[in-house]
Amino acid sequence: MIRIVIIEDELPIQTGLRNLIGHLSDEYKVVGVASTAHDGMLLVKQLRPDLAFCDIKLGKNNSLDMIESLNDGGFECKYVILSGYSEFAFAQRAIKLGVIDYMVKPASSKQIFHLLKTFSEQSKKSKSSTENSLEVTPHYSQVVDFAIDRINTGFASDVTLSGIAEEAGITPQYLSALVAKEVGTSFVAYLRASRINKAKQLLK
């Protein structure tokens, strides 16, 4: 199942998109909605969705700043931008942030259906590829050891999944999968636990 959140401050569009996705297929499920960038960020952090539909303008904020912050925090989610703007600067920055699609409002039901179908197929292929890679790579534990060492020695600094992945020369998604397989928890959860344990030691 593809778990989806909608971050949109126009209620008619928010409701319409939610209803549309709900009727397309049981494979797609809207698990949450938000109307602001702040609430949207909390939604992604708490629910860990596979996909988020985001309005480019959310009040005085814009969703690209929100997406950049979530990416830096290592939260794995793909984003689709819904915008009344077709400015190149917005689209260019969205591409750099890894946004998978940029739809100018109003997006048709055909566009939404095609995007979700393509995303679902690519997700299945990616999951299968990742699982196979983990099984056939004998030295993956060395990469995990490196990541864990960076967390343990740099817990107080700006340690991120994307930053360590870049140092290790692999993608954030692959590193996240390796850490989860080796230590049984996500990168973000391990980092948080490391910081909490260190804080407890300092308090003592």
Side-chain angles (χ1 to χ4, degrees):
M1 179 180 291
I2 303 298
R3 301 171 69 254
I4 302 166
V5 297
I6 300 170
I7 306 169
E8 165 66 66
D9 61 357
E10 295 183 53
L11 185 58
I13 295 177
Q14 182 190 101
T15 303
L17 184 57
R18 183 174 191 172
N19 291 339
L20 171 62
I21 293 172
H23 286 91
L24 286 177
S25 169
D26 292 337
E27 186 179 359
Y28 316 125
K29 182 178 181 180
V30 176
V31 294
V33 296
S35 301
T36 67
H38 176 266
D39 289 345
M41 185 176 294
L42 292 178
L43 203 64
V44 172
K45 288 181 177 180
Q46 292 170 359
L47 300 180
R48 306 296 179 93
D50 303 298
L51 185 66
F53 284 87
C54 310
D55 188 0
I56 190 73
K57 286 289 186 180
L58 296 165
K60 296 180 180 180
N61 301 307
N62 77 69
S63 59
L64 297 182
D65 291 336
M66 176 194 73
I67 292 170
E68 183 172 19
S69 179
L70 287 166
N71 284 348
D72 288 344
F75 293 93
E76 294 183 32
C77 179
K78 297 297 182 183
Y79 303 92
V80 175
I81 294 296
L82 299 172
S83 176
Y85 306 86
S86 58
E87 283 91 338
F88 177 71
F90 280 131
Q92 185 181 42
R93 186 181 176 200
I95 291 171
K96 289 181 178 179
L97 290 173
V99 169
I100 64 171
D101 208 336
Y102 188 102
M103 295 183 174
V104 178
K105 296 179 184 179
S108 68
S109 58
K110 186 176 181 180
Q111 284 178 293
I112 299 295
F113 177 72
H114 177 72
L115 181 142
L116 290 175
K117 184 178 179 182
T118 302
F119 178 77
S120 178
E121 291 172 350
Q122 291 177 343
S123 295
K124 290 174 183 176
K125 290 179 181 178
S126 177
K127 183 178 180 181
S128 176
S129 176
T130 298
E131 289 174 350
N132 290 337
S133 295
L134 292 177
E135 290 173 1
V136 301
T137 306
H139 60 277
Y140 74 83
S141 61
Q142 295 177 1
V143 176
V144 178
D145 289 342
F146 169 76
I148 291 175
D149 181 65
R150 285 287 288 108
I151 291 173
N152 292 337
T153 58
F155 65 91
S157 61
D158 189 20
V159 175
T160 65
L161 174 63
S162 57
I164 294 180
E166 185 176 354
E167 289 184 62
I170 60 176
T171 66
Q173 292 80 8
Y174 187 51
L175 177 58
S176 179
L178 290 176
V179 171
K181 185 177 179 67
E182 182 75 3
V183 303
T185 188
S186 70
F187 174 92
V188 174
Y190 187 88
L191 175 60
R192 186 185 300 118
S194 176
R195 286 173 168 164
I196 291 174
N197 288 335
K198 188 62 179 180
K200 288 179 179 179
Q201 292 175 15
L202 292 173
L203 286 172
K204 289 180 181 180

